[in-house]
Amino acid sequence: MYKIAVLPCDGVGPEVVAEGLKVLEAAAARYEVKYEIVEYDIGGDRYLRTGEVLPPTVMEELAQCDAIYLGAVGHPDVAPGILEKGILLALRFGLDQYINLRPIRLYPGVHTPIKDKGPEDIDFIVVRENTEGLYVGMGGNMKKGTPDEVALQTAVYTRKGTERIIRYAYELTRKRGKDSKLTLVDKANVLTYGHDLWQRTYGHDLWQRTFREVGEEYPDIQQDHAFVDAACMWFVKNPEWFDVIVTCNMFGDIITDLGAMIQGGMGVAASGNINPDGVSMFEPIHGSAPKYTGKNVICPVAAICAVGMMMEYLGEEQAGQAIENAVIAALASGKLGDLSTRSGVKTTEAGDLIASLVE
Ligand code: IPM
Ligand code: MN
């Protein structure tokens, strides 16, 4: 019996989560997966009502669950950062979900804006470091609002944090068995972290060194490298070059929005925040899209794929595969339209169709 915490949160989050749960129910019935849902009222509305973001008692309960399913965070009446940091990042950091898995896969029948590229060209996965980098919230400011204002936002990288994400990415590349190629995406031509006088090295930063050192344990995996700006170019020009990408938190955030676009839009991109030894959390990568709230027009495929990832992660491979197959069949049928808010297909209709295909 799995205990699944559900945090629909803000904006369109509850709408897409409802469809994900519909599909979960269908898959669980078919493959006899027993689960229990514990829903939490977290998000902008609760914050505005009570001033609470993520109460410690909720955090303690979440830490006892088998998995967390999250909708979207962000509220138009709450200053940016409060909910993002107070809920989403607090969960990722607090539960040490150090891996953010973001598959970029163009399913057949889905439109990509990239000319002459098809499903055989766009099939890779980004392994985003999820607990360090620019996201740690270190820094400060002074003389705010004056012409002498100073703002500092520090990126933090540890050997432990870098090594564990890189090792995970090598393992995943091996397990995936596609091109056996792992690409490190960084900006080591500028972010050199200083000239190490003691080591007499220059430009060989922590990520590159760790990538090479850990890579010695994986002679079967080809080591590849791209600066982040060039990687954005290759995503558009030659997406078929990628198999698995490993990168830091900030670059991973940015390149996966681009990745979502080439795989058919924010409506299809799912992600998993993974702690292999703890509680993992699954969510669509899109935001709360406040202006579409309650309109029943958001494509729920990303949120449904997140449920598929959650099933696979829990070891329910058949249920996970069935969800992915149902998504593939629904997309190939053309019945989901262009997956945009103007597709004419309602959120609930898309969910019904996919749930029926699972059955
Ligand atoms: C994402 C989102 C978050 C991030 C925001 C909402 C904090 O953009 O999951 O990609 O930056 O990680
Ligand atoms: Mn993002």
Side-chain angles (χ1 to χ4, degrees):
M1 179 83 153
Y2 300 113
K3 195 170 186 183
I4 300 172
V6 176
L7 282 63
C9 297
D10 302 319
V12 299
E15 290 167 56
V16 295
V17 158
E19 301 316 306
L21 293 178
K22 201 184 265 178
V23 173
L24 173 62
E25 200 180 321
R30 180 156 171 203
Y31 295 101
E32 294 178 12
V33 177
K34 301 260 174 294
Y35 68 98
E36 167 197 357
I37 293 290
V38 190
E39 193 172 317
Y40 290 90
D41 170 27
I42 295 292
D45 289 330
R46 177 165 181 174
Y47 173 72
L48 291 170
R49 224 169 46 235
T50 68
E52 291 169 301
V53 273
L54 194 62
T57 50
V58 171
M59 193 66 188
E60 278 160 30
E61 286 178 39
L62 293 178
Q64 302 304 317
C65 289
D66 294 295
I68 302 170
Y69 183 38
L70 184 133
V73 169
H75 193 293
D77 301 333
V78 179
I82 294 178
L83 303 170
E84 291 83 348
K85 288 168 76 175
I87 299 174
L88 193 56
L89 300 186
L91 288 166
R92 290 177 182 169
F93 284 55
L95 297 170
D96 203 21
Q97 294 161 343
Y98 64 91
I99 304 144
N100 193 324
L101 282 185
R102 299 192 157 187
I104 316 275
R105 179 161 173 211
L106 178 68
Y107 289 120
V110 176
H111 171 77
T112 177
I114 305 201
K115 194 163 162 268
D116 300 332
K117 298 292 175 190
E120 61 290 352
D121 302 306
I122 301 174
D123 181 10
F124 58 96
I125 183 161
V126 175
V127 179
R128 167 187 176 188
E129 202 291 321
N130 213 27
T131 53
E132 298 194 340
L134 273 168
Y135 277 69
V136 297
M138 282 181 76
N141 46 36
M142 65 177 201
K143 302 187 183 176
K144 211 170 179 171
T146 77
D148 297 322
E149 178 161 354
V150 177
L152 290 178
Q153 186 98 38
T154 307
V156 174
Y157 303 103
T158 66
R159 172 73 199 203
K160 177 184 157 189
T162 308
E163 187 168 330
R164 65 183 181 174
I165 192 72
I166 286 175
R167 190 175 298 281
Y168 184 89
Y170 273 110
E171 286 291 333
L172 180 69
T173 311
R174 187 178 269 173
K175 208 170 111 204
R176 219 168 110 88
K178 195 187 161 233
D179 305 328
S180 298
K181 177 167 151 186
L182 178 61
T183 306
L184 172 65
V185 167
D186 65 15
K187 187 68 188 173
N189 50 344
V190 174
L191 308 181
T192 54
Y193 313 119
H195 183 165
D196 191 332
L197 289 168
W198 186 57
Q199 297 272 1
R200 294 181 182 279
T201 57
Y202 190 79
H204 292 263
D205 75 307
L206 178 62
W207 277 77
Q208 294 216 349
R209 254 186 302 121
T210 309
F211 186 67
R212 279 195 294 272
E213 284 170 22
V214 176
E216 280 172 26
E217 296 166 40
Y218 299 86
D220 51 319
I221 306 297
Q222 185 197 333
Q223 297 175 23
D224 182 33
H225 173 263
F227 294 128
V228 64
D229 46 352
C232 290
M233 173 182 69
W234 303 127
F235 269 32
V236 175
K237 198 163 178 284
N238 293 98
E240 69 279 7
W241 284 359
F242 295 108
D243 177 7
V244 180
I245 288 174
V246 65
T247 192
C248 69
N249 211 340
M250 187 79 259
F251 296 156
D253 176 49
I254 297 167
I255 66 176
T256 52
D257 265 31
L258 179 57
M261 285 301 119
I262 70 170
Q263 73 180 128
M266 298 308 278
V268 293
S271 73
N273 303 271
I274 312 290
N275 175 346
D277 311 306
V279 187
S280 297
M281 174 167 79
F282 300 83
E283 53 169 335
I285 83 164
H286 65 67
S288 59
K291 73 175 179 185
Y292 296 112
T293 305
K295 296 205 157 50
N296 203 10
V297 295
I298 291 287
C299 173
V301 169
I304 292 169
C305 288
V307 171
M309 287 178 85
M310 178 165 74
M311 285 294 103
E312 298 247 348
Y313 162 80
L314 288 172
E316 299 296 337
E317 271 104 12
Q318 281 186 311
Q321 201 54 60
I323 293 172
E324 189 178 17
N325 291 343
V327 165
I328 290 172
L331 292 169
S333 75
K335 288 183 192 157
L336 297 183
D338 69 0
L339 312 178
S340 78
T341 51
R342 286 162 274 100
S343 68
V345 182
K346 298 203 179 324
T347 309
T348 43
E349 288 168 354
D352 287 343
L353 174 66
I354 296 169
S356 72
L357 289 165
V358 167
E359 282 157 8

